[in-house]
Amino acid sequence: FTGGANYAIQHIRGEWFTWLDDDDLAYPQAFEKMISIPKKIDPTINAITCNCIDSSTGKFAGFGPKQDQFLTQRDTVKLCSGEFWGITKTELIGDARLNEKLLGYEDTFWFKINQKANRYYIHQAFRLWDTSHGPTVTQVLGKKNRVLKADIYRNLIDEEIFWDCHSKYLPSKFRSKCLKGLLYLYMDDDIEGAKKYLRKLTDHSQISSWLARFYMLVPRPVLRSIFYVFPL
């Protein structure tokens, strides 16, 4: 997906862009309604978010906002979760691209966009998200797959804007993800990668960094055995 999306990004010629996956269906008048928002609300709006309907539940797939409103970077990180959709001014892309080495984590791309965006949320669903076709990325990432998760955290470490946003707005999640990254890489015998997460924790929280140091005293085979009983 990410490689295809990056290829498409390089060929965008329009003023606005979006993407629709093979499990998406845009509702009639979706683009017409979204494109009218800057004229109705504020001409400086350059990113518009709407909700989606989960085909399995018939309910909103995006959670957090309860009404039409502007969304700051803080709001998108701290308030929003789940599946949203929308359109965005092409000029905001700049050199931002999806990380092709990551499964999921599209928010690493959107956090870069939102640094410059004046985003407005419409509390309506303009897209159907078909979740009945098979496992979603979220479900795949939720499985007990130590090697896959180690690879993800190995490539996630360099997404500085992602980590800065979590450090500022979700400090407890920042610490949790750093600890998980350290453990997965340590169990995968990637000591240098584990130390990168240790440095992040040390800069953020002395208590968490000491906990991480304790984990790294446990023999890796023992941690791997524990993982199969109690996955992270």
Side-chain angles (χ1 to χ4, degrees):
F1 166 80
T2 51
N6 283 337
Y7 178 82
I9 286 171
Q10 295 173 12
H11 292 79
I12 293 174
R13 297 293 179 267
E15 182 181 2
W16 297 81
F17 80 96
T18 189
W19 55 59
L20 283 165
D21 298 333
D22 60 352
D23 54 4
D24 295 333
L25 177 67
Y27 290 148
Q29 287 82 53
F31 294 108
E32 179 182 354
K33 291 176 181 178
M34 286 191 286
I35 206 74
S36 69
I37 292 300
K39 294 180 181 179
K40 292 180 179 178
I41 306 298
D42 181 348
T44 67
I45 292 172
N46 51 18
I48 300 153
T49 295
C50 66
N51 219 304
C52 306
I53 294 294
D54 184 329
S55 67
S56 298
T57 65
K59 299 178 180 179
F60 279 168
F63 307 99
K66 303 296 184 184
Q67 61 185 5
D68 293 6
Q69 65 177 85
F70 284 94
L71 291 175
T72 64
Q73 177 79 295
R74 179 182 184 276
D75 294 329
T76 59
V77 177
K78 197 174 179 67
L79 178 65
C80 300
S81 63
E83 184 79 5
F84 292 90
W85 187 48
I87 59 174
T88 306
K89 279 283 186 77
T90 305
E91 63 190 24
L92 295 178
I93 297 176
D95 59 358
R97 296 292 185 274
L98 285 92
N99 189 331
E100 297 185 18
K101 296 180 180 179
L102 286 174
L103 175 63
Y105 288 95
E106 294 166 29
D107 48 1
T108 57
F109 171 79
W110 290 111
F111 287 170
K112 296 171 186 175
I113 298 293
N114 288 336
Q115 284 189 313
K116 302 175 282 184
N118 185 23
R119 184 174 295 281
Y120 192 80
Y121 169 72
I122 312 168
H123 196 50
Q124 299 179 56
F126 291 154
R127 195 195 90 192
L128 178 69
W129 181 35
D130 182 6
T131 56
S132 62
H133 57 79
T136 63
V137 171
T138 301
Q139 291 168 336
V140 171
L141 293 176
K143 292 183 177 180
K144 187 164 57 175
N145 188 328
R146 179 178 58 81
V147 175
L148 170 64
K149 291 183 179 180
D151 193 51
I152 288 172
Y153 277 102
R154 187 176 293 110
N155 291 296
L156 187 61
I157 187 68
D158 294 323
E159 293 289 342
E160 292 300 333
I161 294 174
F162 172 89
W163 292 108
D164 286 346
C165 287
H166 280 75
S167 176
K168 289 178 184 177
Y169 307 125
L170 294 173
S172 61
K173 187 174 181 179
F174 171 86
R175 292 191 294 271
S176 173
K177 293 192 77 64
C178 283
L179 281 170
K180 287 181 180 180
L182 179 144
L183 279 169
Y184 277 121
L185 295 185
Y186 181 65
M187 287 190 290
D188 202 49
D189 298 322
D190 184 351
I191 307 303
E192 289 305 312
K195 287 181 178 178
K196 290 181 180 180
Y197 279 105
L198 179 60
R199 286 193 288 271
K200 282 187 179 295
L201 284 168
T202 302
D203 292 341
H204 189 271
S205 167
Q206 285 298 319
I207 294 176
S208 296
S209 69
W210 281 112
L211 180 60
R213 292 174 195 275
F214 169 76
Y215 287 152
M216 293 182 72
L217 294 175
V218 179
R220 293 189 291 280
V222 173
L223 283 177
R224 286 193 283 264
S225 298
I226 294 173
F227 170 82
Y228 283 107
V229 181
F230 303 105
L232 300 176

